[in-house]
Every structure is written in C-alpha cells, then in structure tokens.
Amino acid sequence: MEHKPDKILLAAMEKLEKLRRQECFDPANPDSKPTPAQQQVIDDFGHTKIQIIRSGTQAGKSQTCSRLITWVLSETHPKWKRPAEWGNEPLLAIVAGRTGKQIEESLLPKIRSYLEPGTYKEIRIGNIIQRLELDNGNRIVFQSLENPNMARERIQSYVAHVAWIDELPPTVEVMDELLRRIQARNGYFLASFTPLVRNVQVQRFVDNMVEPIAKTYRFRMLDNPLYSELS
C-alpha cells in the first residue's frame, strides 16, 4: 500500500516538472534558457505590438515564436498577462506557414512540444491540421500560404489576439490582412523569416515597420541554444 507522504512527494515532483516545462525554452531540455537575443524578444512581447525576427536558417527564430504563442495561449507567460480589455473571452492565435507540409512537419511539432499532453486536441479535415483547441478554450488556427488569395480570404473570417507568420508570403496583401485581424483586439504580430525575399512590395512593407510601432531583431546561428551550448 502506498503511503500518503509518497503520494504528496510524487504530486510535488510532478508539479515541479510541469513548472520547469512551462518556463523552459527547449522542451527537450527542461533547464534550457533563451539566449540574450531570444530573451529580448520575450521581454518586449506585450510592449512592442509588431515583432520581426530576421535571421538565417537554424537560428532559433521559429522556436522563439512557438514559445511565445504557447505561453500566450496557455496563459503561462512569465511576465505578460492578458490585457484587461480582452476580458475573459477565449484567445485566438493565427499561425501562417509557407506550406501545409511546413506547418505539419515544423511548426505544429514545435508548438505541440510546449503543451502538456491531454490539455489540447487537434482538429483536422481529412489529414490536414486546421487548429488546436486548448482545454482553457483558447485556439491556435493554422493557415497555409501556398495559395495567397485563398489564404487571405480564409484569414478574413477571424478576429485574432495574436498572429504569427513564419517566412514571408509572396504577396503583401497577406501581411496586411494578418495585421488587420489583430487590429480589433489591439493584439500582437510576430514575423520570423530568412531575408531572401524577392517581392519588392513585401520587402518595402517590412522595412517600413519601424519603432515604436514595430521592432526588428536579428538572430545569428549561435542565438539558437542548440548551437550556442556547443560553442
């Protein structure tokens, strides 16, 4: 028969592990911490409405945004709290990826890794991920940008609190539409991309976003803890 003190100890250990997962930067390492560059993005969230991360590949930009999105939707961000004007309404985040495959194989696993098993469910149509529904009522909606016109039409149906676009779209209208989706709630916008844009309008749109409206961050490969710990 299990003694009561053993149950209390086990519950305390489980609670501690859960807290470590909530606070860590990399779910594969519960003791991981963000690099100074990543910490700056995290600290600015809530104060800067539009945050743009520019970097090469494997620099931790998508990981940083995934960490922020899950903190917000699970409402466990170490510093940010939901604005009073949002009331108690369920929160909605739009996550836009370059292709459905990129969402399925890269963005979804990153986001899912931060969420406690059993605290969310995946909603799919056929075999395509549509959204994650959290137990607290908050949702993450995924949108592929393979067909920009169709993506823009679908995005128009949402009023969101947070929007994240991973890699820039082929048309500036998608960026503009995502910003409109958070306007009604005075929400937050994240963009993470490698600066290989060929569309002049998109490039100009991003370059014209300046402080205090927006802030641009530049990551190096060593700003990814995976590599900085090896250096």
Side-chain angles (χ1 to χ4, degrees):
M1 180 180 295
E2 189 176 20
H3 297 294
K4 188 174 181 180
D6 294 334
K7 290 183 178 180
I8 295 174
L9 179 60
L10 181 61
M13 291 175 64
E14 289 176 349
K15 184 176 181 180
L16 179 61
E17 182 63 23
K18 183 177 180 180
L19 286 173
R20 289 174 68 196
R21 284 180 58 83
Q22 287 178 354
E23 295 175 359
C24 73
F25 186 78
D26 180 358
N29 177 8
D31 295 318
S32 61
K33 303 293 182 185
T35 64
Q38 292 162 339
Q39 187 64 56
Q40 187 64 60
V41 177
I42 292 168
D43 290 344
D44 287 347
F45 184 83
H47 304 288
T48 303
K49 291 295 184 178
I50 299 173
Q51 295 179 282
I52 301 168
I53 304 174
R54 306 176 71 157
S55 75
T57 59
Q58 303 299 311
K61 58 186 183 298
S62 298
Q63 192 82 32
T64 302
C65 293
S66 296
R67 175 70 281 189
L68 278 170
I69 288 289
T70 50
W71 262 332
V72 172
L73 273 290
S74 60
E75 305 199 50
T76 56
H77 192 290
K79 297 180 179 179
W80 174 87
K81 301 298 179 187
R82 72 156 64 204
E85 59 265 31
W86 289 0
N88 295 319
E89 66 183 11
L91 303 183
L92 173 66
I94 301 174
V95 174
R98 188 174 65 255
T99 65
K101 183 177 181 180
Q102 181 217 12
I103 290 172
E104 191 73 48
E105 297 182 359
S106 178
L107 305 186
L108 177 60
K110 283 185 175 73
I111 289 172
R112 200 164 44 194
S113 68
Y114 288 112
L115 300 172
E116 290 294 320
T119 64
Y120 66 92
K121 59 182 178 180
E122 296 183 12
I123 306 301
R124 295 175 176 270
I125 294 180
N127 201 34
I128 301 173
I129 187 68
Q130 303 296 311
R131 64 186 184 275
L132 294 182
E133 294 183 351
L134 280 63
D135 285 355
N136 61 10
N138 298 336
R139 296 176 297 148
I140 302 173
V141 171
F142 297 95
Q143 179 59 58
S144 165
L145 301 178
E146 289 171 277
N147 184 326
N149 290 330
M150 183 181 296
R152 186 185 175 198
E153 289 180 6
R154 289 177 176 173
I155 290 168
Q156 284 176 347
S157 64
Y158 298 111
V159 174
H161 302 82
V162 188
W164 167 31
I165 183 168
D166 189 64
E167 300 302 343
L168 295 182
T171 65
V172 71
E173 287 80 12
V174 172
M175 291 280 288
D176 185 60
E177 197 61 55
L178 282 168
L179 285 166
R180 289 176 184 273
R181 294 309 96 207
I182 63 169
Q183 204 169 45
R185 292 295 183 270
N186 194 23
Y188 308 100
F189 182 85
L190 300 167
S192 54
F193 64 95
T194 301
L196 298 174
V197 182
R198 295 183 178 88
N199 187 302
V200 176
Q201 285 185 313
V202 173
Q203 187 67 60
R204 187 179 297 121
F205 188 83
V206 172
D207 289 344
N208 285 339
M209 291 184 184
V210 295
E211 296 186 56
I213 297 173
K215 187 171 181 178
T216 298
Y217 310 79
R218 288 176 171 81
F219 287 3
R220 303 165 303 155
M221 181 178 286
L222 291 182
D223 287 324
N224 185 336
L226 175 64
Y227 300 106
S228 61
E229 290 170 6
L230 296 175
S231 62

